[in-house]
Amino acid sequence: MRVGIIALQHESNTFLPVPTTLEAYRRDALLTGEAIREAYGSSHHEVGGFFHGLREADLTAVPLLLALATPAGPLSADTVETLIRLMFEQLDAAGPLDGLLVAPHGAAVAEGQRDFDGHWLTLLRQRLGQRIPIVCTLDLHANVSGAMVAACNATLAYRTNPHLDQHETGLRAARLMAQMLRGQVRPVQVLVSPPLAVSIDRQETAAPPCDALYAFADEVRHRPGVLDVSIQMGFPYADVEEMGTTVIAIADGDESLARAAAQDLADYLIAHRHDFACGLAEVDEAVREAARSAERVCLLDVGDNVGGGSPGDGTVLAHALHKQGVDRSFVCLCDSEAQQAARSAGVGATLTLSMGGKTDDLHGQPLTAPVTVVSLHDGHYSESRPRHGGRTRYNMGPTAVVRTPRGLTLLLHSQRVPPFSLAQLTSCGLDPASFHVLAAKGVNAPIAAYREVCDKFIRVNTPGVTCADMTRLTFHRRRKPLFPFEEVA
């Protein structure tokens, strides 16, 4: 039997004015056919899990399209047109298929299609008809629509944040597909959308309050007849009707069992809703705490979370570290202009640079300071171990490392890259363990890498398009009532 593979992923921040274009996909990953197997066949991504599971079940994997782009603004209309055209060209060329494994992100928004994942999955179902099964994997941060679930026979989400189980999720999906094709199970799924949006800073699955939630989910998952349950905590930076937390339960031929399982998890979330509300340290307080700590500290720059679509040039923490003179401190800034000035000056040169804060006025003013150019790099690096996002190859563009007289080291790079790998530092000759305080532009995702060198993590209430307190953002389309915007029963 032949099973097609499609991954079309984006996490779209609708509070960003600049659209995501096809160039962003070409820069990150835009592959068709066997090039997908070559690049992702043994990866930690869910597509790697698809290949693994199909091979294990003696099913033929037919890779069709893999399109991934770093989170940013909504997709442009011409980008959507090109991606869907590519998908159907590959599908038509593939010949007869017995099933399809698909990997949307679940939080993609496009010009003219606010539920882009629901849109392309619906088009896919219309093309294939009802006979061919579609099994779907989702990011834990998906904003799930009824259209997305209706288009697929079964939908499974990651269970860990940071996302270290992407390969395992793909493997689960492929194994379920094999059972379906052999007539061993008949999945029936139910989507429940409790009136709750979980704060991004409360979404680390191994820590409270999520650890208890997922322990309960494991109990529900092991009920007789239940095939799987998934909790999607939602992506709060998308102004769409579906924004918020959802639960999907899959049972073997029993809709009432699936509905009861999903409703029990939804009820748990509502009963514990206040545990999932935002609560973060303020900037100066967090920096003082980090400077005083005997432990090595990672400051998580929540408001400039590159994995949530932010520009990556936020300077609020850089200013605070520089002002307080925190020795052996480290910050990354996406600033092509500053890195080029450092490159032109050359290694060993001393100059005054204006760094970061150039995208908008939401993420801090540029940090202007004298620096010494430490080193220059091409910005390519790789990660061999499971990390959030499942990627192994990265390109942050031409990069310069500079250091201020007050002990702040800055890595100035040209292309936005989320801090999912310590190789971002080691590839530039930096030893992460040599720093006392490291700032990482994320909320939960960087922990998977940075826990190897940091003993303590402090999530910081920095401003920006990914600020943790979602009530500070202006929504026009979200559902109502929705906690924490409104109280619910």
Side-chain angles (χ1 to χ4, degrees), residues 164-356:
L164 300 182
D165 69 330
Q166 288 176 262
H167 185 278
E168 172 60 28
T169 304
L171 188 57
R172 283 161 49 208
R175 286 171 174 169
L176 183 58
M177 173 65 76
Q179 290 179 296
M180 293 173 64
L181 291 177
R182 290 167 180 157
Q184 296 168 339
V185 295
R186 186 171 61 86
V188 176
Q189 63 180 352
V190 171
L191 168 70
V192 174
S193 304
L196 166 72
V198 173
S199 180
I200 197 78
D201 65 299
R202 291 291 186 264
Q203 294 188 12
E204 184 184 352
T205 50
C210 283
D211 54 353
L213 167 65
Y214 277 84
F216 179 55
D218 283 339
E219 294 178 19
V220 175
R221 184 178 299 113
H222 289 100
R223 293 175 182 175
V226 173
L227 297 176
D228 209 294
V229 296
S230 295
I231 302 165
Q232 297 76 220
M233 294 193 185
F235 182 62
Y237 308 119
D239 185 11
V240 295
E241 182 181 347
E242 297 79 19
M243 192 281 284
T245 302
T246 53
V247 177
I248 297 172
I250 308 171
D252 188 3
D254 189 338
E255 182 178 343
S256 63
L257 178 61
R259 187 169 301 282
Q263 192 61 56
D264 284 350
L265 282 166
D267 290 345
Y268 179 100
L269 282 158
I270 291 300
H272 295 84
R273 61 193 177 280
H274 292 283
D275 296 338
F276 293 97
C278 179
L280 294 178
E282 296 301 323
V283 175
D284 289 339
E285 169 198 345
V287 171
R288 282 194 297 268
E289 181 181 348
R292 290 194 303 261
S293 176
E295 300 175 304
R296 192 178 295 114
V297 178
C298 179
L299 297 174
L300 293 161
D301 189 350
V302 175
D304 192 24
N305 172 13
V306 178
S310 70
D313 72 341
T315 57
V316 175
L317 282 179
H319 273 290
L321 290 165
H322 183 66
K323 180 181 178 181
Q324 295 188 30
V326 180
D327 192 26
R328 294 188 297 123
S329 56
F330 172 83
V331 173
C332 273
L333 292 176
C334 182
D335 188 336
S336 179
E337 178 184 312
Q339 85 78 27
Q340 184 56 56
R343 184 171 295 272
S344 298
V347 174
T350 298
L351 70 161
T352 297
L353 279 182
S354 173
M355 299 169 286

Side-chain angles (χ1 to χ4, degrees), residues 16-150:
L16 292 169
V18 180
T20 295
T21 65
L22 198 64
E23 182 56 35
Y25 282 92
R26 292 193 180 107
R27 184 169 59 244
D28 287 344
L30 184 57
L31 304 171
T32 58
E34 287 302 311
I36 301 171
R37 192 192 308 268
E38 181 180 346
Y40 279 81
S42 58
S43 72
H44 304 303
H45 194 270
E46 60 259 53
V47 169
F50 289 166
F51 281 110
H52 180 175
L54 294 176
R55 186 169 59 250
E56 174 186 84
D58 198 26
L59 299 172
T60 299
V62 184
L64 303 174
L65 173 67
L66 183 142
L68 315 177
T70 300
L75 304 180
S76 66
D78 57 340
T79 299
V80 165
E81 182 181 349
T82 301
L83 291 174
I84 290 179
R85 176 177 55 77
L86 272 175
M87 179 176 71
F88 283 123
E89 285 176 355
Q90 293 299 310
L91 188 65
D92 292 341
L97 296 173
D98 298 285
L100 200 62
L101 290 168
V102 297
H105 180 284
V109 180
E111 292 178 351
Q113 293 291 341
R114 302 198 73 80
D115 177 19
F116 177 58
D117 291 314
H119 174 64
W120 72 263
L121 287 172
T122 299
L123 292 177
L124 200 59
R125 172 55 77 193
Q126 290 171 349
R127 176 68 65 92
L128 295 177
Q130 295 299 319
R131 184 182 62 83
I132 296 177
I134 301 176
V135 177
C136 171
T137 59
L138 290 176
D139 191 287
L140 181 147
H141 296 104
N143 292 326
V144 185
S145 70
M148 292 164 59
V149 174

Side-chain angles (χ1 to χ4, degrees), residues 263-461:
Q263 192 61 56
D264 284 350
L265 282 166
D267 290 345
Y268 179 100
L269 282 158
I270 291 300
H272 295 84
R273 61 193 177 280
H274 292 283
D275 296 338
F276 293 97
C278 179
L280 294 178
E282 296 301 323
V283 175
D284 289 339
E285 169 198 345
V287 171
R288 282 194 297 268
E289 181 181 348
R292 290 194 303 261
S293 176
E295 300 175 304
R296 192 178 295 114
V297 178
C298 179
L299 297 174
L300 293 161
D301 189 350
V302 175
D304 192 24
N305 172 13
V306 178
S310 70
D313 72 341
T315 57
V316 175
L317 282 179
H319 273 290
L321 290 165
H322 183 66
K323 180 181 178 181
Q324 295 188 30
V326 180
D327 192 26
R328 294 188 297 123
S329 56
F330 172 83
V331 173
C332 273
L333 292 176
C334 182
D335 188 336
S336 179
E337 178 184 312
Q339 85 78 27
Q340 184 56 56
R343 184 171 295 272
S344 298
V347 174
T350 298
L351 70 161
T352 297
L353 279 182
S354 173
M355 299 169 286
K358 295 169 184 169
T359 300
D360 52 39
D361 58 0
L362 299 175
H363 302 84
Q365 297 300 308
L367 172 63
T368 301
V371 299
T372 299
V373 181
V374 177
S375 57
L376 302 170
H377 309 273
D378 65 9
H380 291 271
Y381 60 97
S382 60
E383 173 59 64
S384 60
R385 288 163 292 183
R387 291 290 185 258
H388 185 101
R391 290 171 58 184
T392 56
R393 303 171 187 172
Y394 294 85
N395 177 16
M396 57 183 168
T399 300
V401 176
V402 302
R403 188 169 292 133
T404 73
R406 307 199 68 181
L408 175 62
T409 298
L410 299 105
L411 191 152
L412 307 172
H413 53 100
S414 305
Q415 297 180 14
R416 286 188 321 120
V417 174
F420 295 168
S421 171
L422 289 179
Q424 186 175 21
L425 283 70
T426 59
S427 66
C428 296
L430 298 173
D431 177 8
S434 68
F435 297 102
H436 178 57
V437 179
L438 299 99
K441 294 184 177 297
V443 188
N444 300 298
I447 295 174
Y450 281 74
R451 64 161 54 106
E452 292 186 4
V453 296
C454 292
D455 310 297
K456 184 175 183 178
F457 291 85
I458 303 175
R459 294 180 178 88
V460 189
N461 193 20

